[in-house]
């Protein structure tokens, strides 16, 4: 009983709790999309690629576009999200960065049974975004192969589901071109 109480009292924020706590915050732009909406007809793919696609359940994106009215809040939220992502349970796949832009790709689970892929991108002039790709026993090597297929244009992805997401980021940032 003490162990249950100790776990219940743990106040360490998780990425999921951060996401839930901030999705109604006016500084953030949120996108939740089930995979069935953003994946088109991919019957031409190999069986392995189709299996990798089927292991993806949904994508969640939480973005904080920075503007001249929210820079202090941006710095605080950026520090909070980076603190959460330092937890050892988030295994880093790769880091990229140049000219003030940083991207970190992480995952939860094991390489052959990934539960969540996290992409964290930040740019102090544009803001930050955290994308969560949620699935069931996603396989890292299969996902990497799938990403190569996608980069060649072989994967049918319906970008129309993004709809007003980019426009909302643009409006909140005050910029005409907000690319994360």
């Amino acid at each position: 009983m003490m162990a249950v109480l100790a776990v219940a009292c743990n106040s360490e924020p998780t990425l999921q709790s951060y996401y839930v706590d901030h999705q109604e915050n006016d500084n953030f732009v949120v996108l939740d999309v089930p995979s069935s909406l953003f994946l088109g007809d991919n019957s031409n793919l190999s069986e392995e690629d189709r299996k990798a696609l089927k292991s993806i359940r949904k994508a969640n994106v939480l973005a904080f576009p920075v503007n001249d009215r929210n820079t202090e809040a941006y710095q605080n939220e950026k520090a909070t999200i980076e603190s959460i992502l330092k937890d050892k349970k988030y295994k880093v796949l790769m880091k990229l960065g140049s000219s003030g832009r940083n991207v970190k790709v992480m995952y939860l689970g094991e390489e052959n049974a990934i539960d969540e892929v996290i992409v964290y991108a930040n740019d102090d002039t544009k803001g930050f975004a955290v994308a969560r790709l949620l699935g069931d026993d996603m396989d890292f090597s299969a996902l990497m192969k799938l990403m190569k297929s996608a980069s060649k244009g072989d994967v049918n992805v319906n970008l129309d589901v993004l709809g007003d997401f980019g426009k909302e980021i643009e409006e909140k940032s005050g910029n005409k071109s907000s690319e994360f």
Side-chain angles (χ1 to χ4, degrees), residues 58-71:
K58 66 180 176 176
N60 298 343
V61 181
L62 185 67
F64 188 114
V66 69
N67 60 47
D68 58 352
R69 296 174 310 279
N70 67 5
T71 53

Side-chain angles (χ1 to χ4, degrees), residues 49-113:
D49 283 349
R50 283 196 308 272
K51 183 179 176 186
L53 278 176
K54 288 179 184 176
S55 71
I56 302 168
R57 283 184 293 131
K58 66 180 176 176
N60 298 343
V61 181
L62 185 67
F64 188 114
V66 69
N67 60 47
D68 58 352
R69 296 174 310 279
N70 67 5
T71 53
E72 186 176 335
Y74 165 76
Q75 291 298 332
N76 291 334
E77 295 300 338
K78 178 182 163 193
T80 300
I81 199 74
E82 289 178 355
S83 174
I84 291 169
L85 294 174
K86 284 182 183 176
D87 190 310
K88 292 178 185 177
K89 69 182 177 184
Y90 299 106
K91 299 169 185 136
V92 177
L93 290 173
M94 70 175 124
K95 293 180 185 181
L96 306 165
S98 67
S99 303
R101 294 181 179 182
N102 298 294
V103 177
K104 191 183 291 186
V105 180
M106 296 157 278
Y107 70 95
L108 286 173
E110 301 303 319
E111 281 190 29
N112 59 350

Side-chain angles (χ1 to χ4, degrees), residues 79-168:
T80 300
I81 199 74
E82 289 178 355
S83 174
I84 291 169
L85 294 174
K86 284 182 183 176
D87 190 310
K88 292 178 185 177
K89 69 182 177 184
Y90 299 106
K91 299 169 185 136
V92 177
L93 290 173
M94 70 175 124
K95 293 180 185 181
L96 306 165
S98 67
S99 303
R101 294 181 179 182
N102 298 294
V103 177
K104 191 183 291 186
V105 180
M106 296 157 278
Y107 70 95
L108 286 173
E110 301 303 319
E111 281 190 29
N112 59 350
I114 296 173
D115 299 317
E116 184 173 340
V117 174
I118 300 114
V119 178
Y120 169 65
N122 74 63
D123 178 327
D124 286 340
T125 64
K126 296 183 182 197
F128 71 79
V130 179
R132 299 171 64 216
L133 190 60
L134 305 166
D136 297 310
D137 294 332
M138 295 181 286
D139 182 283
F140 174 70
S141 61
L143 287 174
M144 292 305 290
K145 184 176 179 288
L146 183 63
M147 285 200 279
K148 286 180 185 174
S149 295
S151 70
K152 291 188 242 174
D154 295 340
V155 178
N156 186 350
V157 178
N158 179 11
L159 296 178
D160 293 338
V161 300
L162 296 178
D164 295 328
F165 184 70
K167 290 178 189 171
E168 193 173 344

